[in-house]
Amino acid sequence: MSPRPDLGPHPHLGYTASLIDRAAHRRNEMAALAVDPRAGAYLVGGELIITRKRGDGGEPLFGLAEARALAPARETVLLGFLDGAPRFGLGIGKEDAEALKARADDFLVTDLRSIAVQGLVAPEHLPPIAEAKALLAWHARHRFCANCGAATDAVEGGWKRQCPTCKVEHFPRTDPVVIMLAVKGEHCLLGRSARFASAMWSCLAGFVEPGENIEEAVRREVQEEAGIVCGRVGYFASQPWPFPMSLMIGCHAEALTTDIKVDSSELESARWFEREEAALMLQRRHPDGLGTPPPVAIAHHIIRAWVEGDACV
Ligand SMILES: [Zn+2]
């Protein structure tokens, strides 16, 4: 192996290390918690996060009463507690979010990706915003019973929907996605999707399918998207990914073959990169301007771990 490159301090992985105590046993106390003077709320309107403008960024946490006065809430969910103070997520209409966005002197309203990548809010707010966004997105798409079609009611602080007609209970969904770096000796396999920013290359990824474990999903996705057969698969780390409600399961995979055959319906291109080249891409020092996803995304950390000789296979 070539000498271990020095990439500097490890950056934080976005949306992780939440300070919120979810306190599931208190989810039936919504009415009492909503009048707690310490109650705070994050405001979410579809893809948009509402923050009060502060310097170059924004303050995303509002007092609950203040948040409710800004726009009518379609859904209110209990995220948990920070130092005993209740934290809520308020789902508002997209048109109300757009109206607040138009008040550009008072509010900074933008999508969560931009907020995370540009560091527009203090980092400790990212996990509860991700929690609120994912949970509220689930409510917005699951208002009717999947069993009988009747309108359902949100209960237990928004952590369950109940059907008044057939009595079936529905729980918030998290969709598992495998995201992996196939590696072979001094090379790793990166791909790019047509929707990526130009010159960005990343790990391959795909949803875990029913009846499949993580290792099988990794091998299937790499074979489907790039025609590469993988052997050993090692778990690296995971990351909540609230777009709209996924869990990214990061892995390294040992590639057994080298001939790439790209599935053009999934990827624009895929190719092998040498370790030194990947190191330059992580550091934004590549001579042709090629790069990896930023440190807020787990792909950056999966690639970096391999570059530094810490792959999990
Ligand atoms: Zn029903």
Side-chain angles (χ1 to χ4, degrees), residues 145 147-148 163 166:
C145 179
N147 188 49
C148 78
C163 178
C166 75

Side-chain angles (χ1 to χ4, degrees), residues 4 20 128 250 257 276:
R4 186 185 170 104
I20 298 281
T257 62
E276 288 75 9

Side-chain angles (χ1 to χ4, degrees), residues 144-152 162-170:
F144 295 90
C145 179
N147 188 49
C148 78
T152 53
Q162 206 151 32
C163 178
T165 306
C166 75
K167 310 299 180 198
V168 165
E169 297 175 332
H170 301 277

